[in-house]
Amino acid sequence: MVLEVKEITKSFGEKQVLSGVSFEAQGGKALGLLGRNGAGKTTTIRIIMQVFNANSGEVLLDGKPLDTDKVSIGYMPEERGLYPKKSIMEQLIYFANLKGVSTSQAKENAIKLLEKLEMTEYKNAKLNTLSKGNQQKIQLVATLVCNPDIVILDEPFSGLDPVNAMLLKDIVKELIADGKIVLFSSHQMNYIEEFCDDIVILNKGKVAVSGSIKEIKRGYERNKIYISSQEIEQVQNFITSNISSLIKNISQKDDGLLLELNREDDKPQVLRTLADCSADIDEFKVYEPSLNDIFVDFTEGAI
Amino acid sequence: MKQFFTIFKFELSGYFKNKFFVGFTFAVVILIGVGLSFPSIKGKFKDESAKPSVSEGKKTKVAVVVQDGMDEASVVSIFESAFGEEYIVKALNTDEKGLIKKVKTGKFDKGFLINSPLSYKYVTDTKSISDSDAYIADEVLIQIYRLSALTGAGVSPVDAEKIMTASVDSEIVITGKDQTQSFLYTYIIILLLYMSLMLYGQFVAQSVASEKSSRAMELLITSAKPTSLMFGKVLGSGFAGLLQLALMLFASFGFYSLNKEHWQGNEFVESIFGMPLEILLYAILVFILGFFVYAFMYGALGSLATRPEDLNTLIMPVTFIFIAAFGIVISAITGGNLDSPLMIACSYIPFTSPMAMFARIAMSTVPKYQIIISVAILFVSEFIVGYLSAVVYKTGVLMYGNTPKLKDIFKILKIKSR
């Protein structure tokens, strides 16, 4: 399955929210949908889910216009919300029914998911009697109870303790392994890096960058070197006194040094010179930007 | 359509699981049952209604002081017969001060100081709103005066008595409605319509607003079409309301027919249950049509509330229209002027016509074509109001933040209708 978002534009009144957004999500892979607040992520998601229509552009599944009556989409909104005063099973069945799943099938799906998330004992409880983390797990069950082909998770890990986060990770991995299309929106870059092969970064309603994380990282100049050592001061002194002409910028990062070279071809020379340094060097590698760096670069500022 | 039925069922089951709703319905049914079965439980209601018993100790003591040589004995006896069994009338030989003292100290409840055949002073410790004793005294004195005037003019006492007690034999032919008969049930049904339309309309608004504030809407709006969501909810609430009303009506008529013989002679109860069937059916029709007009608007306004506390401000304009309609109709039925230009206009305006046209049909004679036009306007309005409300709802449920003002609602409608 391939979900294609093609050149969608959307404006609310005078305000242009999306202009020509395009990307592609493959079944069996997770796509990270990133962007600062107000970049247009939720609007994009709502257009995919046909809450409203785009002014132009189209959403295709396997080349045909996406029909939400035939293809089930599971959505976990960033703003969590279910019926606080209704029993969990009752509302899970209701949400599945709305997606066209029969009551008996919904019950079966719900029981399986509740078991997986260790929540079976709460199936008849009212939602507002549960802790926040447990409510979050129920929200996930509500997302998946219709056994969706496309799963859209907006900040799924917020509010979860490490144990629950592990449970959720397993479920996300399972969804990917089952060949489902997973759209993953989060500001926690570590989770994106863990699950997603591909990302789309939206900025002010436009795609700032999209593609595989590896490719995007490779697209960066390879003129930065990271050196880690227990004797970092000594290494820094050695470099500044011997090869300062090759260095554009030098700074300390974590437990090491980050060197920005004038030319990426000078890397072998730096390595050869460092062989004469008496300090004990643990690591010498080309520095690849983190997803956080990429995000900041493409969205003009910090998260 | 399937989604609509899912939502409809969910809303309806929400009402059935709501302890307050179920409890209230049963409490009312039980109250109706007990109320209407009361006479047969007591088994002696007819006697009680015929002459309400007042215990000996509670009889009202009236002192009569006759000052100017009138026939004291005959005055007292006429007073006695005029006031009836609940009063003990005694002649007293004292002056104004003495009479006031007697009343003040509680020896007598009230007193009449008769100065001349056509002038008296009424002394009472407490004058209740329903006190008609002075009026009775007026009647008695004027009768005594007229009798003595007639006999003084040479008419024999027997003839004078005949003249005084002459009565007119009359018969009333009503070609339209008898308002004295229809007033009570019209009033009750208008009140019921008012309460139920308002209550269920507000239930819809509350339910939409709470879905939005709990953010369940985020999931709902991505799972179902907004029109299904709104129509499912409105129809679910409407059906619950109708069911509740039907249950109450069924209980009322059921218990009444079980206890019918005990209520014979009670005009109040008989006039309510003597309501023609077509009036009842029309009441149900206007409940259904009126409910949707208001529930759609309430639903749309509920969708604009970010927090439940915004709701009251938002629904106020609709509630105002509703209260105004109720006020106009109630003043028309109590005043009996059901065919005033205002009422005729109101019986065509969709927001007022459910109550106004109902009142006119029940208490006046309305040409058939007027009824048909009114119902047709109301029916068409359902679709227009339903469509406009759905437009507001679609946008409203996704709007969070400041409570929108009336001009914002028009803006939504303007943008969407482009």
Side-chain angles (χ1 to χ4, degrees):
Chain A
M1 275 194 303
V2 185
L3 177 76
E4 284 173 273
V5 172
K6 272 189 168 174
E7 290 293 324
I8 52 172
T9 59
K10 178 76 189 173
S11 59
F12 293 114
E14 304 296 311
K15 201 179 166 202
Q16 188 75 27
V17 183
L18 297 177
S19 20
V21 170
S22 300
F23 58 85
E24 203 179 284
Q26 305 268 351
K29 273 181 165 182
L31 174 75
L33 186 60
L34 309 180
R36 294 181 63 188
N37 301 325
K41 298 185 299 279
T42 308
T43 307
T44 307
I45 291 171
R46 285 181 172 164
I47 287 172
I48 295 174
M49 303 198 70
Q50 294 172 5
V51 173
F52 38 66
N53 296 323
N55 297 125
S56 65
E58 51 187 354
V59 180
L60 306 173
L61 186 72
D62 294 332
K64 288 179 214 145
L66 174 68
D67 182 356
T68 46
D69 289 338
K70 289 184 185 147
V71 180
S72 164
I73 304 179
Y75 174 48
M76 183 173 191
E78 183 182 4
E79 294 279 1
R80 311 281 189 255
L82 292 167
Y83 292 99
K85 287 180 184 163
K86 292 207 186 281
S87 105
I88 284 165
M89 193 48 108
E90 186 190 353
Q91 48 187 317
L92 289 176
I93 291 172
Y94 177 53
F95 284 113
N97 283 162
L98 284 180
K99 301 261 187 184
V101 180
S102 71
T103 301
S104 59
Q105 185 63 51
K107 219 178 239 177
E108 201 185 311
N109 292 354
I111 288 171
K112 263 191 216 161
L113 285 161
L114 289 171
E115 258 170 33
K116 216 178 268 180
L117 286 163
E118 299 164 4
M119 293 293 291
T120 315
E121 59 184 303
Y122 301 110
K123 69 176 179 189
N124 294 321
K126 283 184 179 166
L127 187 79
N128 59 1
T129 60
L130 266 55
S131 70
K132 199 177 166 225
N134 282 342
Q135 288 190 20
Q136 177 100 326
K137 282 155 90 177
I138 297 301
Q139 191 84 43
L140 181 71
V141 178
T143 309
L144 302 177
V145 71
C146 58
N147 191 20
D149 305 306
I150 301 169
V151 182
I152 301 174
L153 303 171
D154 201 347
E155 289 292 356
F157 288 96
S158 76
L160 287 184
D161 65 36
V163 178
N164 283 331
M166 284 290 286
L167 279 170
L168 177 57
K169 273 185 195 177
D170 289 343
I171 287 185
V172 175
K173 280 177 188 159
E174 219 171 278
L175 291 171
I176 296 170
D178 284 349
K180 304 201 188 271
I181 295 172
V182 179
L183 280 187
F184 202 107
S185 176
S186 178
H187 289 155
Q188 290 170 282
M189 298 299 161
N190 52 330
Y191 288 117
I192 299 281
E193 286 211 273
E194 187 171 346
F195 293 114
C196 303
D197 302 317
D198 303 322
I199 55 164
V200 180
I201 297 180
L202 293 182
N203 190 36
K204 294 180 182 162
K206 290 181 182 151
V207 174
V209 66
S210 73
S212 96
I213 298 178
K214 268 188 203 158
E215 294 292 326
I216 293 168
K217 283 183 177 176
R218 276 200 203 120
Y220 275 74
E221 265 193 288
R222 297 177 71 77
N223 66 336
K224 283 183 183 166
I225 293 168
Y226 181 74
I227 302 162
S228 73
S229 166
Q230 298 298 316
E231 299 154 304
I232 204 72
E233 297 289 328
Q234 207 181 327
V235 178
Q236 190 168 358
N237 289 338
F238 180 83
I239 290 170
T240 43
S241 53
N242 290 294
I243 45 170
S244 65
S245 61
L246 304 179
I247 311 290
K248 192 178 180 183
N249 192 16
I250 183 162
S251 59
Q252 291 204 3
K253 187 174 171 69
D254 305 329
D255 288 333
L257 279 179
L258 188 62
L259 306 183
E260 192 180 344
L261 307 182
N262 287 322
R263 293 173 346 113
E264 62 176 75
D265 299 347
D266 289 338
K267 277 185 300 228
Q269 196 184 335
V270 176
L271 184 59
R272 278 197 298 273
T273 314
L274 275 175
D276 298 332
C277 178
S278 58
D280 185 17
I281 290 172
D282 297 332
E283 203 178 359
F284 178 96
K285 65 173 186 185
V286 173
Y287 176 78
E288 281 196 333
S290 67
L291 194 52
N292 208 53
D293 297 330
I294 297 171
F295 185 91
V296 174
D297 277 353
F298 282 98
T299 57
E300 302 169 351
I303 300 169
Chain B
M1 208 57 186
K2 205 174 161 197
Q3 274 181 344
F4 163 78
F5 281 114
T6 306
I7 296 157
F8 176 81
K9 239 171 61 190
F10 185 75
E11 284 303 319
L12 202 60
S13 78
Y15 277 98
F16 295 155
K17 284 177 189 164
N18 182 331
K19 282 179 197 140
F20 173 76
F21 180 80
V22 175
F24 177 76
T25 311
F26 278 103
V28 171
V29 168
I30 290 167
L31 268 175
I32 290 170
V34 171
L36 288 172
S37 311
F38 188 71
S40 49
I41 295 167
K42 293 284 272 183
K44 55 177 183 180
F45 184 82
K46 255 177 89 182
D47 293 335
E48 284 174 4
S49 75
K51 38 179 168 173
S53 71
V54 176
S55 64
E56 278 294 311
K58 281 189 179 168
K59 282 188 178 180
T60 309
K61 283 185 274 179
V62 181
V64 176
V65 180
V66 180
Q67 276 194 338
D68 84 327
M70 287 168 74
D71 181 3
E72 190 184 84
S74 71
V75 170
V76 169
S77 95
I78 296 174
F79 261 84
E80 255 176 354
S81 64
F83 279 125
E85 282 181 8
E86 290 169 50
Y87 289 76
I88 298 170
V89 182
K90 273 193 180 148
L92 216 64
N93 196 5
T94 179
D95 58 358
E96 187 179 337
K97 266 189 189 166
L99 181 65
I100 290 172
K101 201 176 164 193
K102 294 267 182 202
V103 172
K104 219 173 182 178
T105 52
K107 291 248 166 63
F108 286 90
D109 296 307
K110 39 193 72 179
F112 290 92
L113 179 76
I114 297 161
N115 299 317
S116 71
L118 289 177
S119 140
Y120 70 92
K121 253 187 197 155
Y122 174 43
V123 183
T124 179
D125 196 34
T126 317
K127 186 166 188 316
S128 76
I129 295 172
S130 59
D131 188 351
S132 59
D133 293 344
Y135 173 75
I136 295 172
D138 286 356
E139 291 289 306
V140 168
L141 287 177
I142 216 145
Q143 202 161 0
I144 295 171
Y145 175 79
R146 281 176 184 160
L147 263 173
S148 71
L150 281 171
T151 48
V155 182
S156 73
V158 178
D159 288 345
E161 185 77 32
K162 264 188 192 162
I163 292 167
M164 291 302 290
T165 55
S167 66
V168 180
D169 191 16
S170 73
E171 201 178 315
I172 303 169
V173 179
I174 301 166
T175 57
K177 298 266 165 58
D178 179 3
Q179 291 191 351
T180 51
Q181 280 290 312
S182 56
F183 172 77
L184 207 59
Y185 62 72
T186 309
Y187 196 94
I188 288 174
I189 288 187
I190 292 283
L191 208 64
L192 253 158
L193 276 174
Y194 171 74
M195 286 196 312
S196 52
L197 289 181
M198 181 97 106
L199 204 67
Y200 287 105
Q202 294 194 358
F203 276 164
V204 171
Q206 253 166 24
S207 164
V208 174
S210 72
E211 272 174 357
K212 201 178 156 195
S213 69
S214 72
R215 306 268 175 165
M217 194 56 89
E218 294 278 325
L219 218 54
L220 288 171
I221 205 77
T222 52
S223 306
K225 300 266 171 297
T227 36
S228 305
L229 279 173
M230 176 153 162
F231 289 97
K233 185 173 283 298
V234 167
L235 265 87
S237 295
F239 195 72
L242 201 61
L243 219 62
Q244 192 184 43
L245 275 183
L247 206 64
M248 288 176 185
L249 285 174
F250 188 74
S252 304
F253 281 92
F255 281 110
Y256 173 71
S257 62
L258 282 178
N259 298 289
K260 208 168 181 176
E261 73 260 34
H262 297 280
W263 289 107
Q264 266 167 12
N266 186 307
E267 280 177 26
F268 183 82
V269 176
E270 279 190 331
S271 92
I272 296 172
F273 289 97
M275 173 191 333
L277 182 67
E278 64 260 30
I279 296 289
L280 190 64
L281 293 178
Y282 189 74
I284 292 168
L285 177 74
V286 291
F287 169 80
I288 295 171
L289 294 178
F291 170 78
F292 288 124
V293 167
Y294 279 100
F296 283 140
M297 289 198 291
Y298 275 126
L301 292 174
S303 77
L304 296 168
T306 302
R307 295 171 302 261
E309 57 265 34
D310 299 337
L311 196 61
N312 283 339
T313 334
L314 277 165
I315 62 173
M316 207 138 69
V318 175
T319 309
F320 266 141
I321 299 174
F322 197 50
I323 292 172
F326 178 69
I328 291 168
V329 173
I330 284 294
S331 71
I333 62 172
T334 44
N337 50 346
L338 287 138
D339 296 320
S340 66
L342 181 65
M343 274 298 277
I344 292 176
C346 282
S347 55
Y348 291 119
I349 300 168
F351 303 118
T352 48
S353 71
M355 286 189 286
M357 192 46 119
F358 174 77
R360 289 185 61 215
I361 289 173
M363 288 182 69
S364 169
T365 310
V366 187
K368 272 221 167 60
Y369 77 90
Q370 285 195 8
I371 302 175
I372 294 168
I373 292 173
S374 165
V375 172
I377 292 175
L378 193 55
F379 192 71
V380 173
S381 310
E382 305 291 340
F383 290 93
I384 297 169
V385 174
Y387 170 76
L388 294 178
S389 300
V391 169
V392 173
Y393 181 91
K394 265 190 212 173
T395 310
V397 288
L398 297 171
M399 272 169 63
Y400 285 95
N402 291 339
T403 312
K405 300 202 168 54
L406 203 61
K407 66 170 197 260
D408 300 319
I409 300 171
F410 285 118
K411 223 163 137 189
I412 295 171
L413 291 172
K414 216 170 127 192
I415 291 170
K416 292 285 165 176
S417 57
R418 254 190 240 158

